Amino acid sequence: MNWTAPKDTAFLAVDMTYDFLPPNGALMVEKGDELIPLINDLLPHFEKKIWTKEEHAPNHAFFASSRQNAKPLDLVKTEFGDQFLWPDHCIKDSKGAKFPPELGVSEKDMIIVKGTDPSIHAYSAFYMDDRKTVIRYEDGKTLTEKLTEERIKTLVVCGLAYDFCAGLTAYDAAKEGFRVIFLRDLSHAINIPLENGKSTVDIMDEMLKEANITVTTSSVLKDTLFKNQNLGVNSEPETVPS
């Protein structure tokens, strides 16, 4: 299919690095590796491409290994709410923090490195996990500022994991005023059951709906992009079954 996304539209793939991918990722998302060829198929349609990745310190405060008698997926209380603990993953300069070579990342693309503060996590590429501290990157700019400089108004978001980094990046992008299209078929979830009977997937479904994000699939992305290109983030979202 021969089409090109509008110049104000960027493709944003979240955290497609070794430690989130089977078969050996420290925090692998089931079938995450199956997304690589599907993502690569979409890349030629976009002039602007953005990739996020995590680079954690070895002693990150939200690694279970940093706390006595703790294990991955334990919940701990913090001043900004309950937070999950994780296995050590995406350690800076480790293989786990790198993109696999088969992923179509180019030197010309925008690379966003998050999670570098050892005292707090950053699922989203916009905000720390206190949900109020805006992330400033090495150049002193926020992601919103970087996107605005590139005259980007629409983000097509996918990646890992749906119920954490990918979903929260999409959610925050919409809150920052960008039009967001989320490709649900190009995002797999960790899917953790919660005490209230819901799962982390249920919570993210609710958040994307609340943020008025268009949730769709890659097979109809072209139609979605051009059908709604003049409507902006306050348009009625289009949804498909997850």
Side-chain angles (χ1 to χ4, degrees):
M1 187 182 301
N2 187 20
W3 58 274
T4 302
K7 290 186 179 297
D8 66 355
T9 300
F11 184 83
L12 195 169
V14 176
D15 292 6
M16 292 294 298
T17 52
Y18 275 113
D19 264 347
F20 295 112
L21 300 173
N24 299 312
L27 185 48
M28 68 178 184
V29 181
E30 186 176 357
K31 298 183 179 180
D33 54 330
E34 295 179 3
L35 301 182
I36 293 175
L38 303 176
I39 289 173
N40 286 345
D41 285 347
L42 283 181
L43 296 180
H45 299 295
F46 292 83
E47 176 184 337
K48 297 174 181 177
K49 296 171 276 281
I50 306 164
W51 308 85
T52 74
K53 66 194 296 281
E54 295 187 339
E55 289 186 358
H56 294 311
N59 62 339
H60 196 283
F62 290 94
F63 287 167
S65 63
S66 297
R67 301 172 185 243
Q68 286 189 339
N69 303 316
K71 61 183 184 299
L73 300 189
D74 281 353
L75 277 173
V76 295
K77 293 189 178 299
T78 75
E79 62 184 16
F80 47 89
D82 292 348
Q83 294 289 310
F84 286 104
L85 298 180
W86 301 105
D88 293 18
H89 65 282
C90 296
I91 305 299
K92 184 178 180 180
D93 298 326
S94 72
K95 178 181 177 181
K98 300 181 186 302
F99 297 114
E102 60 269 29
L103 191 66
V105 181
S106 166
E107 293 181 355
K108 299 181 295 183
D109 299 341
M110 184 186 297
I111 309 296
I112 300 296
V113 180
K114 58 190 179 71
T116 58
D117 187 332
S119 67
I120 188 171
H121 218 307
Y123 299 129
S124 167
F126 290 88
Y127 289 90
M128 298 291 196
D129 284 354
D130 61 3
R131 307 300 300 142
K132 62 182 181 181
T133 302
V134 178
I135 301 172
R136 289 197 175 273
Y137 292 94
E138 287 188 353
D139 58 3
K141 297 174 183 176
T142 69
L143 182 52
T144 296
E145 290 169 346
K146 291 173 181 286
L147 298 177
T148 301
E149 286 180 354
E150 294 293 323
R151 299 183 179 179
I152 293 168
K153 296 180 180 179
T154 297
L155 290 170
V156 176
V157 182
C158 64
L160 301 172
Y162 169 68
D163 40 348
F164 288 93
C165 297
L168 278 170
T169 294
Y171 177 86
D172 287 343
K175 291 299 184 184
E176 289 289 294
F178 297 95
R179 176 189 174 212
V180 179
I181 298 170
F182 194 94
L183 300 180
R184 190 63 182 90
D185 61 323
L186 298 191
S187 184
H188 295 325
I190 299 174
N191 198 15
I192 303 171
L194 304 174
E195 290 183 353
N196 61 6
K198 294 183 178 181
S199 70
T200 50
V201 169
D202 295 327
I203 299 301
M204 190 55 64
D205 288 344
E206 293 170 2
M207 290 181 68
L208 297 195
K209 183 176 181 180
E210 180 266 327
N212 208 25
I213 288 171
T214 298
V215 180
T216 189
T217 64
S218 56
S219 63
V220 294
L221 174 58
K222 176 188 175 184
D223 292 340
T224 304
L225 266 175
F226 292 100
K227 182 177 77 171
N228 295 325
Q229 64 180 345
N230 296 318
L231 297 181
V233 296
N234 293 319
S235 60
E236 185 68 21
E238 173 185 339
T239 59
V240 296
S242 58

